[in-house]
């Protein structure tokens, strides 16, 4: 079989459709599969990185809005930080199922291009200090399109790689994609200080105190060229897999799978923590350590967590996802106690560097956990369908393996959707706790209680001797 027979032009002549995809066949993988899968991964990663950059834009922008004349309250600013995660998580539920219906190439290109909506709108909105709060709410909701892209991207990449390589592939896609959080929090504070686009970018905004000026519109405009290039690259460089096609009803069986909901719970604890901490960290620092510039440190934690995701996936391939996930949650509990210990009490005391180190530990651990939990999913569903087809003939076993891959991809996307709600609840928990009690302690104790439940779930169903589905 030649490459030409495996990769066919679609009827419209744009892009490529692969009609015979067999990554589990070693000969096929070496001859054709690895090259094609790697190319799709290479294009997917920067597209996902840009999606994450847009998703967390308000974590970097919200701090600057009062400086240029927007009279928003602290609670309103926390809302702007939290809303992209709420919309992104909700949209992920839909995005989890679209790749087998529309094709990975088409959807990656279109969903990447959709990021132009919030970035361009934000660039214009910040130039008028009379822009009402509800406009920023709409833009923040549209920033959630970036978060939604994660589910379709991960689902798409999972189809391209054989099972024994999925941990590393998904870890690279998600881990390097997650770097977009750090990129956004590093780039935005820099580009808003200079007129990157000259007269084309609009006039600067004067600071309300201390003189000086900012070009906050650059926080949106700076991403536009890269988004356009990534969308074009996806359209012409990626592939659609006919073997990955399935209807929503075929995928919807995951809603009857207990392990789908269990993994959603665990992923809230890992990815929900990562994106929630990333979004809320700058505002939390500003409220608890007002003399510290949070944007000096904001990008470090998300970067560490993003880089550790691929490490977590690789280690899980070698040592097992459940074992590593169990210890991730145990150590996260300890790290939250560290954060509590170093926070100021009644507005006095505290140790910022102790607080910073404890929080960096949370980022590292949540990043590792992101990789280990995603590695658990294909193992769990492969084991489940092997048991269900134990007495089937060869064709039945083959069909069961195919169904396992369909369900695994759907669960990867859907758990990513549910986990992303952590990005809303964590910043809002900070804001609510501070409003009600004057400190974020109540929220942090709530996180500890939740991590304990994750520890129990991991141990009982996946890690203990005699677990129902060891992985």
């Amino acid at each position: 079989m030649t490459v030409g027979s495996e990769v066919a032009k679609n009827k419209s002549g744009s892009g490529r459709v692969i009609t015979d995809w067999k990554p589990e066949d070693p000969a096929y993988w070496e001859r054709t599969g690895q090259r094609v899968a790697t190319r799709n991964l290479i294009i997917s990663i920067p597209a996902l990185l840009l999606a994450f950059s847009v998703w967390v834009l308000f974590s970097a922008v919200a701090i600057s809005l009062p400086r240029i004349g927007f009279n928003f309250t602290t609670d309103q600013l926390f809302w702007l930080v939290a809303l992209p995660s709420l919309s992104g998580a909700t949209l992920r539920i839909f995005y989890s199922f679209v790749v087998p219906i529309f094709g990975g190439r088409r959807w990656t290109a279109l969903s990447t291009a959709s990021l132009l909506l919030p970035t361009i709108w934000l660039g214009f909105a910040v130039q008028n200090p009379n822009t009402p709060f509800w406009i920023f709410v709409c833009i923040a909701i549209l920033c959630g399109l970036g978060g939604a892209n994660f589910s379709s991207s991960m689902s798409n990449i999972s189809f391209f790689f054989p099972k024994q390589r999925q941990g590393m592939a998904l870890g690279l896609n998600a881990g390097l994609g997650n770097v977009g959080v750090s990129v956004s929090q590093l780039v935005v504070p820099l580009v808003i200080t200079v007129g990157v686009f000259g007269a084309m970018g609009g006039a600067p905004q004067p600071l309300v105190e201390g003189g000086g000026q900012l070009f906050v519109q650059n926080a949106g405009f700076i991403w536009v060229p890269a988004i356009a290039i990534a969308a074009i690259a996806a359209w012409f460089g990626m592939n659609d897999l006919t073997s990955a096609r399935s209807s929503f009803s075929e995928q919807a069986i995951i809603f009857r799978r207990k392990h789908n909901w269990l993994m959603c719970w665990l992923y809230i604890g890992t990815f929900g923590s990562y994106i929630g901490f990333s979004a809320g960290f700058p505002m939390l620092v500003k409220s608890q350590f007002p003399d510290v510039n949070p944007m000096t440190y904001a990008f470090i934690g998300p970067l560490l967590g993003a880089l550790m995701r691929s490490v977590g996936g690789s280690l899980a391939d070698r040592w097992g996802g459940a074992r590593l996930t169990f210890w991730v949650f145990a150590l996260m509990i300890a790290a939250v106690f560290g954060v509590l210990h170093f926070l100021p009490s009644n507005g006095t005391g505290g140790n910022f560097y102790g607080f910073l180190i404890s929080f960096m530990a949370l980022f590292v651990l949540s990043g590792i956990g992101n990789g280990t939990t995603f590695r658990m999913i294909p193992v769990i569903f492969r084991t489940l369908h092997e048991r269900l087809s134990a007495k089937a003939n060869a064709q039945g076993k083959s069909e069961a393996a195919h169904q396992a891959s369909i369900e695994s991809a759907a669960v990867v996307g859907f758990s990513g959707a549910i986990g992303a709600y952590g990005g809303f609840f964590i910043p809002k928990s900070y804001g609510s706790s501070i409003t009600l009690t004057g400190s974020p302690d109540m929220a942090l104790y709530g996180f500890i209680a939740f991590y304990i439940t994750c520890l129990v779930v991991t141990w009982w169903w996946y890690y203990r001797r005699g677990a129902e589905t060891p992985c």
Side-chain angles (χ1 to χ4, degrees):
M1 182 178 292
T2 65
V3 174
S5 65
E6 294 160 355
V7 181
K9 289 281 186 182
N10 64 22
K11 292 181 180 180
S12 65
S14 60
R16 293 188 297 177
V17 177
I18 299 179
T19 58
D20 186 12
W21 185 248
K22 299 178 292 185
E24 302 297 340
D25 181 342
Y28 177 90
W29 177 254
E30 290 296 327
R31 183 178 66 251
T32 300
Q34 185 171 9
R35 174 177 54 81
V36 174
T38 300
R39 172 165 44 79
N40 279 266
L41 178 61
I42 288 173
I43 296 173
S44 176
I45 288 172
L48 188 56
L49 184 149
L50 289 168
F52 270 92
S53 296
V54 173
W55 195 19
V56 299
L57 267 182
F58 274 96
S59 68
V61 171
I63 291 176
S64 297
L65 294 179
R67 300 177 64 196
I68 59 174
F70 291 95
N71 296 315
F72 300 152
T73 66
T74 299
D75 191 52
Q76 285 178 315
L77 294 175
F78 268 116
W79 267 108
L80 293 180
V81 170
L83 278 172
S85 292
L86 179 62
S87 63
T90 304
L91 288 169
R92 279 186 177 193
I93 296 174
F94 168 70
Y95 278 45
S96 301
F97 303 100
V98 295
V99 167
I101 297 173
F102 296 105
R105 175 189 65 87
R106 293 182 182 87
W107 192 258
T108 301
L110 294 174
S111 62
T112 300
S114 73
L115 303 178
L116 295 172
L117 295 174
T119 51
I120 293 175
W121 196 1
L122 176 64
F124 286 109
V126 297
Q127 295 184 58
N128 181 1
N130 295 317
T131 300
F133 179 69
W134 70 266
I135 291 291
F136 285 99
V137 167
C138 293
I139 298 171
I141 290 172
L142 286 175
C143 284
L145 291 169
N149 284 9
F150 175 81
S151 285
S152 55
S153 178
M154 294 295 282
S155 174
N156 183 45
I157 292 302
S158 71
F159 287 114
F160 278 95
F161 287 83
K163 293 180 178 62
Q164 70 270 20
R165 297 174 183 260
Q166 284 183 0
M168 176 60 75
L170 293 174
L172 285 171
N173 191 54
L176 296 179
N178 288 173
V179 171
V181 176
S182 291
V183 170
S184 187
Q185 294 177 341
L186 179 62
V187 168
V188 169
L190 296 176
V191 299
I192 65 174
T193 63
V194 293
V196 176
F197 300 101
M200 291 180 59
Q205 301 86 52
L207 298 178
V208 296
E209 294 182 1
Q213 59 188 21
L214 292 176
F215 296 82
V216 181
Q217 64 266 36
N218 291 346
F221 291 155
I222 196 67
W223 310 104
V224 172
I227 289 170
I229 292 171
I232 293 170
W235 184 262
F236 290 104
M238 296 185 75
N239 297 99
D240 294 316
L241 302 178
T242 58
S243 62
R245 292 295 177 90
S246 65
S247 65
F248 174 77
S249 60
E250 290 176 299
Q251 300 175 74
I253 194 173
I254 68 169
F255 298 124
R256 301 200 300 269
R257 303 293 191 201
K258 172 180 63 180
H259 294 291
N260 170 52
W261 300 106
L262 292 174
M263 292 310 300
C264 285
W265 190 259
L266 298 184
Y267 202 59
I268 293 174
T270 56
F271 180 77
S273 295
Y274 170 79
I275 198 63
F277 291 150
S278 298
F281 181 76
M283 286 293 296
L284 180 64
V285 172
K286 190 68 175 177
S287 66
Q288 300 303 300
F289 299 94
D291 295 331
V292 175
N293 178 6
M295 300 315 297
T296 302
Y297 306 95
F299 73 94
I300 301 174
L303 178 61
L304 291 174
L307 295 177
M308 294 306 295
R309 180 164 193 152
S310 58
V311 173
S314 180
L315 292 177
D317 283 339
R318 182 181 305 175
W319 293 331
R323 177 191 300 178
L324 290 172
T325 301
F326 177 87
W327 287 107
V328 159
F329 285 123
L331 293 173
M332 287 179 74
I333 292 169
V336 176
F337 276 116
V339 170
L340 283 162
H341 177 73
F342 291 113
L343 276 173
S345 178
N346 298 319
T348 61
N351 184 311
F352 174 72
Y353 290 104
F355 165 87
L356 182 65
I357 291 171
S358 298
F359 235 106
M360 293 307 103
L362 283 171
F363 277 113
V364 168
L365 291 166
S366 63
I368 294 173
N370 288 340
T372 61
T373 48
F374 261 25
R375 181 64 185 102
M376 292 168 65
I377 291 171
V379 176
I380 290 168
F381 281 86
R382 183 169 70 248
T383 301
L384 174 64
H385 282 277
E386 285 175 351
R387 290 174 180 170
L388 293 175
S389 62
K391 297 182 180 180
N393 57 22
Q395 181 179 352
K397 292 181 184 296
S398 176
E399 292 173 354
H402 176 70
Q403 182 62 27
S405 69
I406 293 292
E407 291 184 25
S408 294
V411 173
V412 163
F414 185 72
S415 61
I418 301 302
Y421 281 109
F424 171 77
F425 287 113
I426 286 179
K428 278 306 298 171
S429 295
Y430 292 151
S432 299
S433 181
I434 291 170
T435 299
L436 294 172
T437 69
S439 81
D441 291 14
M442 182 174 68
L444 292 165
Y445 281 116
F447 302 160
I448 290 171
F450 179 75
Y451 294 148
I452 290 173
T453 68
C454 293
L455 196 71
V456 172
V457 167
T458 305
W459 179 78
W460 181 259
W461 273 282
Y462 306 115
Y463 180 50
R464 67 183 174 90
R465 188 185 301 274
E468 180 179 320
T469 313
C471 55

